[in-house]
């Protein structure tokens, strides 16, 4: 849970014109009826009718004046539970109003602004709050579309008991709800490119150790004195500690193809949304398995990208790394790029570990780039989403075979990728098992399809 902002609203600002502008339809009707009754009483010479007209006209003016002269202060706060929620799940928003003035309030109407995709605008009626008192209310929001949505600012309406006048005060603070992609749990399979201690691959990186730990370093507060390197301490004239044996972590790069020309359709069930959800599920799964991971897009952008090698998990807490990548995937959109060459340039060489790619439509040139990209990784898995299978054919109905798609798939497999085609509405966990079976079968037959180990 995260704490929302706190704002103040003072019900004493503005002028009489503002107060009169707050007259409701009922209040304006009373005023108009009073003026009409007064005119008729003057024309007809009816004093009783004049008294009625004065009453009708004075009552809304009196209510507006009382509200205008009312001086008390209230504060409002918002708390999201949770502040980051998967698409299709609900989050609860808790609102708290505190009366920090010495006077009790009247009837208050509270309204929060929310984007239309999160549901209707919530409205609440708050009973009279005593001096120093508070009221708490809550509402639920839900979105099937990932993104970052602002909540607020709060609006507070003060009304008189007769409903003739309303004054609105707005708070200045707002909060942001982050709707991340759906994350699907994946089965544990034996992947190529894993490090010793986690699997059978060759690509490894030090975990829990930075570059300054490669050689003995200066003593830091909290270091175990049993690690002091006395020979180097005597040489340098200061305490030096030796580096202890560190566990090893495998590396994994998740490549997400965001090219606009590679996908067709839009909405929660579109191919691009499946690819984003698949990338999110893979990142979380690999972090849980102890990998150092990073998210790479076709634009060459790497997340987290803070360390020298761009990977997270070895120098960051896994939860922090996952949160950063989930926030990125929550707002990722189509790129204007036409190729994957910048992603290829972001791969430095044979130290990248396992490469898992979620790809849209490919032409022959991009398939060639991916074939070269395979040589810069310790193992490679590809999930290929073709627009024809996702847009032109209804779910569950097989379409005509796509010769170009099959040719691209064969090119990837011949280059050493473990590549599978993703039909519309496919389950990622099933495809995850399929890649394992495909790799195992390729390894048994000596085919390069499995992506190496």
């Amino acid at each position: 849970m995260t704490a929302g902002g706190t704002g103040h609203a003072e019900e004493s600002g503005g002028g009489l014109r503002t107060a009169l502008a707050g007259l409701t339809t009922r209040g304006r009707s009373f005023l108009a009826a009073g003026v009409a009754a007064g005119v008729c009483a003057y024309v007809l010479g009816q004093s009783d009718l004049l008294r009625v007209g004065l009453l009708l006209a004075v009552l809304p003016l009196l209510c507006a004046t009382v509200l205008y002269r009312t001086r008390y202060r209230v504060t409002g706060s918002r708390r999201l539970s949770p502040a980051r929620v998967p698409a299709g799940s609900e989050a609860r928003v808790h609102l708290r109003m505190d009366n920090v003035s010495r006077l009790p309030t009247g009837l208050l109407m509270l309204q929060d602004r929310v984007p239309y995709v999160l549901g209707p605008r919530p409205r609440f009626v708050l009973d009279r709050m005593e001096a120093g008192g508070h009221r708490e209310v809550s509402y639920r929001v839900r979105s099937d579309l990932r993104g970052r949505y602002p909540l607020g600012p709060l609006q507070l309406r003060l009304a008189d008991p007769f409903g003739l006048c309303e004054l609105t005060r707005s708070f200045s603070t707002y909060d942001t709800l982050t709707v991340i992609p759906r994350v699907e749990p994946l089965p544990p399979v034996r992947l190529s490119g894993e490090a010793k201690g986690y699997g059978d691959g060759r690509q490894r990186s030090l975990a829990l150790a930075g570059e300054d730990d490669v050689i003995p370093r200066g003593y830091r507060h909290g270091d175990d004195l049993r690690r002091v390197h006395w020979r180097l301490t005597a040489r340098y004239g200061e305490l030096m500690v030796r580096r202890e044996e560190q566990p090893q972590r495998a590396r994994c790069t998740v490549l997400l193809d965001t090219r606009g020309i590679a996908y067709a359709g839009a909405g929660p069930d579109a191919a691009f949304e499946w690819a984003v959800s698949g990338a999110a599920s893979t990142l979380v799964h690999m972090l849980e398995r102890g990998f150092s991971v990073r998210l790479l897009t076709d634009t060459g952008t790497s997340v987290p990208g803070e360390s020298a090698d761009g990977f997270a998990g070895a120098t960051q807490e896994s939860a922090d790394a996952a949160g950063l990548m989930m926030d990125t995937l929550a707002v990722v959109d189509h790129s204007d790029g036409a190729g994957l060459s910048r992603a290829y340039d972001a791969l430095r060489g044979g130290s990248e570990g396992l490469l898992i790619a979620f790809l849209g439509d490919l032409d022959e040139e991009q398939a060639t780039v991916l074939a070269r990209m395979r040589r810069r990784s310790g193992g490679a898995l590809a999930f290929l989403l073709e627009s024809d299978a996702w847009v032109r054919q209804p779910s569950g109905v097989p379409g005509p075979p796509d010769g170009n798609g099959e040719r691209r798939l064969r090119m990837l497999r011949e280059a050493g990728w473990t590549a599978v085609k993703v039909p519309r509405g496919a389950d990622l966990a099933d495809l995850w098992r399929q890649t394992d079976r495909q790799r195992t079968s390729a390894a048994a037959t000596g085919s390069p399809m499995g992506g190496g180990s």
Side-chain angles (χ1 to χ4, degrees), residues 260-415:
I261 61 175
Y263 300 93
D269 298 327
F272 181 66
E273 294 302 320
W274 192 98
V276 173
S277 178
S281 303
T282 302
L283 288 168
V284 172
H285 178 73
M286 302 310 284
L287 279 172
E288 291 176 348
R289 295 196 61 179
F291 278 69
S292 295
V293 301
R294 70 171 173 177
L295 171 66
L296 181 66
T297 66
D298 58 287
T299 63
T301 303
S302 177
V303 181
E306 297 178 353
S307 59
D309 55 10
F311 288 85
T315 58
Q316 288 180 295
E317 293 293 337
S318 295
D320 295 338
L324 180 59
M325 288 181 283
M326 290 300 107
D327 288 345
T328 301
L329 290 175
V331 296
V332 69
D333 202 354
H334 292 295
S335 69
D336 297 329
L340 301 172
S341 58
R342 282 182 288 182
Y344 170 76
D345 294 336
L347 298 176
R348 300 182 178 183
S351 61
E352 301 302 320
L354 182 63
L355 176 62
I356 304 177
F358 292 85
L359 308 167
D361 290 335
L362 300 175
D363 55 23
E364 187 171 353
E365 179 182 355
Q366 304 315 313
T368 303
V369 172
L370 287 168
R372 296 200 309 267
M373 196 179 297
R374 167 64 185 88
R375 294 194 292 270
R376 293 192 171 187
S377 64
L381 279 68
F383 298 88
L384 184 60
L385 294 86
E386 297 176 349
S387 297
D388 290 342
W390 282 78
V391 176
R392 299 179 183 177
Q393 297 298 326
S395 178
V397 178
D402 185 357
N404 290 332
E406 292 295 335
R407 188 158 49 250
R408 307 289 180 262
L409 200 65
R410 186 168 58 253
M411 288 181 60
L412 293 180
R413 291 174 176 173
E414 291 175 351

Side-chain angles (χ1 to χ4, degrees), residues 47-205:
S47 58
D48 293 339
L49 183 59
L50 179 61
R51 287 191 290 270
V52 173
L54 288 176
L55 176 63
L56 293 176
V58 168
L59 186 59
L61 296 177
L62 180 62
C63 291
T65 302
V66 170
L67 287 182
Y68 164 67
R69 294 179 62 86
T70 298
R71 295 179 180 270
Y72 59 83
R73 299 179 66 237
V74 293
T75 63
S77 62
R78 182 188 299 103
R79 179 168 54 87
L80 307 181
S81 176
R84 185 188 291 119
V85 62
S89 300
E90 290 185 344
R92 183 167 290 275
V93 183
H94 302 270
L95 305 176
R96 178 187 171 108
M97 306 300 301
D98 291 88
N99 181 14
V100 297
S101 67
R102 298 180 180 179
L103 299 175
T105 70
L107 190 66
L108 301 177
M109 286 178 288
L110 184 65
Q111 175 178 279
D112 204 7
R113 293 184 179 180
V114 300
Y116 72 94
V117 296
L118 297 183
R121 181 171 295 182
R123 295 180 174 89
F124 305 94
V125 177
L126 305 181
D127 296 333
R128 174 180 178 273
M129 278 194 294
E130 65 281 0
H134 71 273
R135 297 288 185 272
E136 294 185 5
V137 293
S138 65
Y139 64 93
R140 293 177 295 181
V141 291
R142 180 182 182 275
S143 175
D144 291 327
L145 301 174
R146 56 187 175 81
R148 293 173 62 88
Y149 301 100
L151 301 178
L154 282 169
Q155 287 185 332
L156 191 64
R157 290 186 179 182
L158 176 65
D160 67 279
F162 302 103
L164 302 179
C165 184
E166 292 181 357
L167 295 183
T168 302
R169 296 291 182 267
S170 293
F171 295 84
S172 58
T173 59
Y174 67 93
D175 293 279
T176 301
L177 175 68
T178 303
V179 180
I180 63 176
R182 295 182 179 91
V183 175
E184 181 179 350
L186 300 179
V189 298
R190 194 172 183 84
L191 298 171
S192 59
E194 296 187 18
K196 294 179 180 178
Y198 294 98
D200 59 354
R202 298 170 300 179
Q203 304 301 332
R204 299 179 291 176
S205 63

